[in-house]
C-alpha cells in the first residue's frame, strides 16, 4: 500500500498584517492563521495520488500547541490521518529545526513511500524544509515539481526550472516539493469538515523525540519593508492625465 | 583554511556573486573561490574577474541533475572549511544550497537581498518575508555562513588585468538516484522583464482579453514591455505563465512601472519594489496600489489609457 506523508505549516495570514504608523513595526495581534498556500497544493497532490493509485495519506505539521486548529482544516482536505508534533518551543522555528523535528517524528512512525512538501511556506518562503528533510532522512529529493505520476516503484516528475522543464525518474521512497501550478486544491465542503473532526490525529511532543535542536539561523529583526513613494493622486480628466505625463517627463522616465 | 565560495548556474550570475564575494573577501582578508562546471578557458576568465582560486566541478553525465554536486561540495567544504558560501538563488541553486547546508549542519539565508559584515565579522543578512511585506534580518551562528542570492541582486564584477590564481579540478561525485529523462526549454512567449526600462503591467481590472491591445499600445508608445499580475497568467491564462510579476514571479526594476487595473496586493508589490517610479491607474480610490505609487490616476482604465496614449503621442511629436 502506498503510504504518503504530506507536510504542512500553519502560518499567519500575511494579508492581515498591518504596518504601524512608524512605518517599521508590524502589527500582528489581529492576524488570522491559515495552512500555508503552497502546502495546500502539497496536500491536494498527496490526496490526488492516493485517489489514483490507492494507499493512505498522513498530514503532518510541527508547531506550538495552538497550531492544533490546523489539523481539522488539513484533514478536511482529504488525508486520512494527522500527525501533530507540538511543543511551546516549536514556535518560530528556523528551517533546519523544522526539518530536524519532522525527520525525527516521521522516523518514529515507521515506513513510508513518499513525502510531499510545498516548495516553500507563504510566510518565510525559505524553500529549505523539503530538501533538508530529504537529507536528514537520506532520501532522494525532487524539487519544484509541476507534474507527478507513478510508474511501478518509480516516480516520474516534471520540474519547472528557470531555463526549462526537466523530467526525472526517482525510485521510492522519495521526497518531492511541489509548485502551485501542479493542481488546484479542492475547497472542503461541510461534509468534509464534519468528517475531519472524526479522523485520527497522532500527537507527539518534543520529549518523545530525540532531537538536536540548536538553531543554525537566528532572526535578529523583522521590519516592514519601507516603500518611499510620493502617493500623489489625480483624477481621470484629460488635464489631470496631462499633469501626470508631464511629471513623468520631468522625472526623466518618459521622453 | 578559510575563504569565500561562490557558485551559480550561469556565468553572468557568477560574476554578480564575485562582486559581493570580493568585498567580503577583502574585509575578511581571505581568499575568493569560484566554483564552476565550465571549461578551463572560463575558469581562467573567472580569475581575471577576481577569483583567487577556481574549483572545476566534475562533469556530470547527461542523466544527472545539477544537484548531484552536493556530495562533491560537501566533501570539499569539510576540508577547505570556508567562512562563507554564496550560491546563486535560482531553483537549482536553492535546492543545492539547502541540501549542502543540511549536510554541513549549518544555517542558510535563502533569497538574501543584502548582506554585510558587522564588527565581529558576522554576516548580517536580509531577506523578504510575509509575501514581501517585511524584511527579516538573520545571522548564522554556525559555520560556514550560507546564503542564496537571487539573480540581479548585485551588478557583475569588472575584470581586473594581470590577476593570477589557481585552478583545481574536483573529480569525485556520488551519483544521484534521481535520473534525468529529458530536458526541454520553456518556450518563452514573453519578454524578459528584468531588464526592461518601462513596464506596463495589466491586472484583473481588464474586463476581457481584447483589452490587452490597449495596454500593448501604451507599452509601445512608451517603448516598454508588457507584464501582468498572477491571476492574468495563472487563472485566466490571458498572458504567458512567465510574464507575471511578484514574489512568486518575476522581480522587476524598471525606471517606470505603470499598473492598469492592478489592486496592489503585497505579493505583487514586492516584485515592483525596486522600480524607480510607480504609476497606477485604478477606478477604486481605495485600492492599496495607490499607497505604493508615486503617481496614481483614479479612473476607468478604458478611458484613461486611450487619453494617456493620446497625450504621449502629442508630446512625442513635439
Ligand atoms: C502565496 C501567494 C503568492 C502570490 N504571488 C503573486 C505574485 O507573484 N504576483 C502577483 O501578481 N500575485 C501573486 N499572488 C496573488 C495576489 O495576492 C493577488 O491576488 C493578485 O496580485 C491580484 O491581482 P490583480 O491586482 O490583477 O487583481 P485584483 O486584486 O482583482 O484587482 C483588480 C483591480 O482592478 C481594478 N479595476 C477593476 N476594473 C477597473 C477598470 N475598469 N479600470 C481601472 N481599474 C479597474 C479594481 O479596483 C482592482 O483594484 C500571490 C498570492 C499568494 C497567496
Amino acid at each position: 500500500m502506498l503510504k504518503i506523508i504530506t507536510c504542512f505549516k500553519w502560518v499567519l495570514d500575511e494579508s492581515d498584517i498591518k504596518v504601524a504608523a512608524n512605518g517599521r513595526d508590524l502589527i500582528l495581534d489581529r492576524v488570522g492563521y491559515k495552512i500555508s498556500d503552497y502546502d495546500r497544493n502539497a496536500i491536494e497532490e498527496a490526496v490526488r495520488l492516493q485517489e489514483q493509485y490507492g494507499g493512505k495519506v498522513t498530514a503532518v505539521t510541527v508547531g506550538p500547541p495552538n497550531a492544533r486548529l490546523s489539523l481539522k482544516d488539513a484533514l478536511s482536505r482529504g488525508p486520512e490521518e494527522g500527525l501533530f508534533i507540538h511543543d511551546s518551543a516549536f514556535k518560530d522555528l528556523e528551517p533546519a529545526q523544522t526539518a530536524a523535528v519532522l525527520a525525527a517524528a516521521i522516523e518514529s512512525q515507521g515506513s513510508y513511500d513518499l513525502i510531499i512538501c510545498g516548495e516553500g511556506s507563504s510566510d518565510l518562503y525559505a524553500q529549505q524544509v523539503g530538501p533538508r528533510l530529504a537529507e536528514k532522512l537520506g532520501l532522494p529529493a525532487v524539487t519544484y515539481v509541476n507534474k507527478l505520476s507513478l510508474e511501478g516503484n518509480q516516480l516520474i516528475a516534471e520540474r519547472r526550472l528557470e531555463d526549462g522543464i526537466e523530467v526525472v525518474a526517482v525510485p521510492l521512497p522519495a521526497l518531492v516539493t511541489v509548485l502551485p501550478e501542479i493542481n488546484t486544491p479542492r475547497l472542503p465542503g461541510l461534509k468534509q469538515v464534519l468528517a475531519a473532526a472524526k479522523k485520527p490525529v497522532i500527537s507527539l511532543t518534543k520529549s518523545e523525540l530525540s532531537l538536536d535542536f540548536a538553531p543554525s539561523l537566528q532572526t535578529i529583526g523583522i521590519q516592514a519593508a519601507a516603500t518611499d513613494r510620493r502617493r500623489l493622486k489625480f483624477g481621470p480628466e484629460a488635464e489631470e492625465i496631462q499633469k501626470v505625463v508631464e511629471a513623468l517627463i520631468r522625472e526623466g522616465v518618459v521622453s | 583554511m578559510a575563504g569565500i565560495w561562490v557558485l551559480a548556474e550561469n556565468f553572468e550570475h557568477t560574476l554578480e556573486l564575485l562582486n559581493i564575494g570580493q568585498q567580503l573577501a577583502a574585509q575578511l582578508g581571505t581568499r575568493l573561490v569560484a566554483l564552476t562546471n565550465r571549461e578551463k578557458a572560463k575558469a581562467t576568465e573567472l580569475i581575471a574577474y577576481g577569483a583567487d582560486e577556481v574549483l572545476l566541478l566534475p562533469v556530470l553525465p547527461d542523466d544527472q541533475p545539477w544537484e548531484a554536486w552536493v556530495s562533491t561540495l560537501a566533501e570539499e567544504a569539510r576540508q577547505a572549511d570556508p567562512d562563507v558560501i554564496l550560491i546563486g538563488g535560482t531553483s537549482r541553486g536553492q535546492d543545492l544550497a539547502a541540501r549542502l547546508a543540511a549536510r554541513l549542519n549549518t544555517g542558510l539565508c535563502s533569497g538574501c537581498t543584502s548582506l554585510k559584515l558587522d564588527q565581529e565579522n558576522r554576516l548580517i543578512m536580509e531577506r523578504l518575508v510575509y509575501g514581501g511585506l517585511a524584511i527579516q534580518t538573520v545571522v548564522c551562528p554556525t559555520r560556514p555562513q550560507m546564503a542564496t542570492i537571487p539573480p540581479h541582486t548585485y551588478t557583475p564584477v569588472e575584470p581586473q588585468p594581470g590577476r593570477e590564481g589557481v585552478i583545481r579540478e574536483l573529480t569525485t561525485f556520488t551519483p544521484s538516484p534521481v535520473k534525468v529523462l529529458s530536458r526541454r526549454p520553456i518556450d518563452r512567449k514573453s519578454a524578459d522583464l528584468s531588464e526592461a526600462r518601462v513596464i506596463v503591467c495589466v491586472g484583473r481590472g481588464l474586463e476581457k482579453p481584447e483589452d490587452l491591445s490597449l495596454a500593448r499600445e501604451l507599452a509601445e508608445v512608451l517603448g516598454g514591455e508588457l507584464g501582468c499580475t498572477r491571476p492574468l497568467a495563472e487563472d485566466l491564462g490571458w498572458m504567458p505563465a512567465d510574464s507575471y510579476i511578484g514574489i512568486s514571479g518575476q522581480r522587476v526594476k524598471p525606471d517606470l512601472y505603470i499598473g492598469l487595473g492592478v489592486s496592489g496586493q503585497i505579493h505583487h508589490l514586492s516584485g515592483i519594489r525596486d522600480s524607480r517610479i510607480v504609476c497606477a491607474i485604478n477606478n477604486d480610490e481605495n485600492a492599496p496600489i495607490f499607497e505604493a505609487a508615486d503617481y496614481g490616476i483614479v479612473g476607468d482604465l478604458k478611458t484613461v489609457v486611450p487619453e494617456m496614449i493620446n497625450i504621449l503621442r502629442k508630446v512625442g511629436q513635439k
Side-chain angles (χ1 to χ4, degrees):
Chain A
M1 186 182 75
L2 190 65
K3 260 195 86 180
I4 307 176
I5 293 172
T6 170
C7 304
F8 72 92
K9 182 175 183 185
W10 188 237
V11 298
L12 46 81
D13 190 336
E14 66 277 15
S15 54
D16 292 343
I17 303 175
K18 298 275 177 288
V19 177
N22 66 12
R24 316 231 75 179
D25 299 335
L26 302 180
I27 304 176
L28 300 176
D29 41 330
R30 298 199 104 128
V31 297
Y33 280 75
K34 62 176 182 181
I35 294 179
S36 170
D37 298 76
Y38 306 98
D39 296 342
R40 289 181 216 176
N41 298 98
I43 295 173
E44 176 66 31
E45 196 58 18
V47 172
R48 192 191 67 77
L49 290 174
Q50 182 260 332
E51 285 167 353
Q52 191 174 347
Y53 303 103
K56 179 178 174 187
V57 177
T58 304
V60 185
T61 193
V62 176
N66 62 1
R68 183 177 292 276
L69 286 170
S70 67
L71 278 138
K72 204 170 146 188
D73 186 346
L75 293 175
S76 71
R77 295 166 190 271
E80 273 156 55
E81 167 188 274
L83 174 57
F84 182 41
I85 318 152
H86 57 96
D87 194 285
S88 49
F90 293 166
K91 195 178 175 305
D92 300 326
L93 296 182
E94 60 98 6
Q97 291 176 304
T98 306
V101 176
L102 282 171
I106 288 171
E107 265 179 339
S108 77
Q109 300 298 302
S111 71
Y112 52 85
D113 301 296
L114 176 61
I115 300 176
I116 307 183
C117 300
E119 58 158 319
S121 62
S122 45
D123 57 349
L124 301 183
Y125 198 58
Q127 299 165 277
Q128 293 183 33
V129 169
R132 277 188 186 264
L133 177 58
E135 285 292 327
K136 287 264 166 211
L137 294 170
L139 293 176
V142 185
T143 50
Y144 305 100
V145 170
N146 71 357
K147 214 180 205 173
L148 203 54
S149 63
L150 210 56
E151 278 176 21
N153 195 38
Q154 270 206 138
L155 269 183
I156 307 294
E158 214 177 273
R159 307 177 71 198
R160 193 188 153 93
L161 305 164
E162 282 81 357
D163 61 354
I165 301 284
E166 193 171 272
V167 184
V168 303
V170 59
L172 295 177
L175 182 144
V176 164
T177 75
V178 299
L179 294 171
E181 57 257 38
I182 195 168
N183 57 42
T184 308
R186 64 196 79 182
L187 290 173
L190 185 61
K191 200 170 143 231
Q192 286 78 22
V193 172
L194 291 174
K198 300 198 187 80
K199 291 182 179 175
V201 175
I202 304 163
S203 205
L204 278 178
T205 58
K206 189 161 164 258
S207 56
E208 292 167 81
L209 301 167
S210 51
L211 279 179
D212 171 17
F213 200 59
S216 51
L217 205 63
Q218 278 164 0
T219 298
I220 56 173
I222 292 195
Q223 268 185 349
T227 43
D228 265 342
R229 294 287 173 198
R230 279 192 245 278
R231 302 196 186 109
L232 302 174
K233 268 192 204 169
F234 296 82
E237 304 78 18
E239 313 80 73
E240 291 280 283
I241 301 170
Q242 177 85 35
K243 280 189 212 158
V244 172
V245 170
E246 282 165 9
L248 297 179
I249 293 169
R250 267 200 312 279
E251 299 272 12
V253 294
V254 166
S255 49
Chain B
M1 283 243 267
I4 312 281
W5 281 19
V6 305
L7 166 66
E9 259 185 81
N10 65 46
F11 193 68
E12 191 71 12
H13 201 171
T14 307
L15 298 187
E16 294 167 17
L17 299 190
L18 281 173
N19 183 349
I20 179 66
Q22 200 168 44
Q23 298 171 36
L24 297 178
Q27 287 173 53
L28 289 175
T30 186
R31 297 156 57 236
L32 183 56
V33 181
L35 294 99
T36 178
N37 63 329
R38 304 287 143 165
E39 60 282 17
K40 285 230 171 71
K42 283 281 186 206
T44 316
E45 233 179 291
L46 287 172
I47 289 170
Y49 279 100
D52 299 306
E53 183 175 10
V54 178
L55 299 181
L56 283 175
L57 290 160
V59 176
L60 296 172
D62 277 348
D63 72 349
Q64 280 291 302
W66 204 74
E67 294 84 354
W69 278 323
V70 69
S71 56
T72 314
L73 293 168
E75 183 60 29
E76 183 62 26
R78 280 190 198 107
Q79 295 190 5
D81 194 21
D83 302 305
V84 175
I85 303 181
L86 306 177
I87 294 182
T90 51
S91 299
R92 288 192 182 99
Q94 195 54 55
D95 181 338
L96 179 75
R99 294 195 214 192
L100 183 59
R103 288 202 190 180
L104 300 175
N105 267 317
T106 194
L108 167 67
C109 172
S110 310
C112 179
T113 51
S114 151
L115 78 187
K116 55 174 191 284
L117 290 163
D118 72 357
Q119 278 134 347
E120 295 151 48
N121 282 341
R122 289 187 309 176
L123 271 184
I124 308 292
M125 302 178 275
E126 292 184 352
R127 58 188 305 272
L128 290 175
V129 294
Y130 301 134
L133 180 77
I135 296 169
Q136 178 188 26
T137 309
V138 297
V139 293
C140 178
T142 47
R143 292 293 176 273
Q145 306 172 83
M146 288 184 65
T148 54
I149 299 182
H152 310 303
T153 305
Y154 294 94
T155 51
V157 70
E158 296 293 331
Q160 306 137 37
R163 283 189 42 85
E164 277 174 27
V166 203
I167 299 173
R168 195 151 57 84
E169 278 183 59
L170 305 179
T171 46
T172 56
F173 82 100
T174 315
S176 166
V178 177
K179 296 273 179 281
V180 178
L181 304 177
S182 65
R183 291 189 176 97
R184 61 174 195 273
I186 300 173
D187 30 329
R188 292 213 167 263
K189 289 182 229 99
S190 64
D192 179 8
L193 299 177
S194 62
E195 297 298 322
R197 302 310 339 145
V198 175
I199 294 176
V200 173
C201 177
V202 288
R204 238 190 206 144
L206 252 59
E207 206 183 321
K208 46 188 189 305
E210 290 72 42
D211 295 341
L212 279 173
S213 58
L214 199 57
R216 255 195 206 105
E217 202 180 331
L218 179 60
E220 222 164 273
V221 178
L222 290 167
E225 303 286 350
L226 194 62
C228 66
T229 60
R230 192 169 85 172
L232 255 76
E234 298 256 303
D235 306 343
L236 300 169
W238 294 356
M239 290 279 289
D242 52 357
S243 62
Y244 79 83
I245 298 166
I247 189 91
S248 43
Q250 297 200 43
R251 301 257 181 98
V252 299
K253 47 174 174 36
D255 288 334
L256 174 63
Y257 163 101
I258 303 189
L260 311 180
V262 172
S263 63
Q265 298 304 314
I266 187 63
H267 305 106
H268 181 70
L269 292 184
S270 61
I272 65 168
R273 186 180 306 282
D274 296 333
S275 308
R276 192 147 85 72
I277 300 289
V278 171
C279 178
I281 300 169
N282 193 305
N283 62 2
D284 171 8
E285 65 168 323
N286 295 318
I289 186 115
F290 290 126
E291 289 299 303
D294 297 291
Y295 300 95
I297 300 174
V298 184
D300 189 329
L301 68 94
K302 276 188 291 206
T303 56
V304 173
V305 175
E307 186 58 44
M308 188 178 253
I309 293 172
N310 250 336
I311 295 172
L312 285 165
R313 287 228 165 93
K314 277 191 214 141
V315 174
Q317 276 159 11
K318 273 190 210 146

